[in-house]
Amino acid sequence: MNDEFEIQLKIFGIKYPLRISRKDEEIARKAAELVEKKYALYVKTYDVKETKRLGQDLKFLVAFEFALESLKTQKDDMMPFVDKIDELNEELADYLKIRTNQ
């Protein structure tokens, strides 16, 4: 059963049709809301009247910040695995040293 359907998300004052799974609807709407809030924060922080150029720059900063946060989260999520792999590599190297010295 195909549970995809189309929703309209308003981001930066523009409505975007998005075809998504019903289970992802709530998170997609929250993501759009976060983008809008972050953009409004940048506009307020830099106390700007939006011009086309400046508006694009602020939108870039919003996208960059979310990408950076995403990559940091991915790295943090992987660290336990990386640490375990390093530990296993050390154990294997020690084992191989012992075996080759016999």
Side-chain angles (χ1 to χ4, degrees):
M1 182 170 124
N2 187 355
D3 69 339
E4 284 192 349
F5 72 115
E6 189 172 289
I7 63 173
Q8 296 282 326
L9 295 179
K10 189 174 181 181
I11 303 173
F12 306 127
I14 301 169
K15 287 186 180 180
Y16 294 96
L18 181 64
R19 191 151 191 79
I20 61 167
S21 169
R22 289 196 184 277
K23 67 179 177 59
D24 294 333
E25 179 184 8
E26 183 179 353
I27 198 162
R29 292 191 186 281
K30 284 182 181 180
E33 184 180 324
L34 280 172
V35 168
E36 285 289 300
K37 284 181 179 179
K38 185 65 71 174
Y39 181 73
L41 179 66
Y42 275 119
V43 169
K44 184 178 178 182
T45 299
Y46 293 108
D47 192 30
V48 296
K49 302 289 186 234
E50 184 175 339
T51 64
K52 186 173 182 175
R53 168 75 180 146
L54 190 54
Q56 292 297 83
D57 290 346
L58 295 180
K59 291 171 187 173
F60 164 78
L61 288 174
V62 169
F64 177 77
E65 185 171 334
F66 281 114
L68 185 61
E69 288 174 14
S70 175
L71 291 173
K72 284 181 182 178
T73 300
Q74 288 175 10
K75 181 181 175 189
D76 292 345
D77 289 348
M78 293 300 295
M79 285 312 294
F81 298 108
V82 171
D83 292 343
K84 188 63 178 177
I85 289 170
D86 288 343
E87 180 184 320
L88 292 171
N89 278 335
E90 287 177 24
E91 287 180 24
L92 182 57
D94 290 343
Y95 175 78
L96 291 174
K97 281 183 197 171
I98 294 169
R99 296 288 292 166
T100 56
N101 290 335
Q102 288 180 349

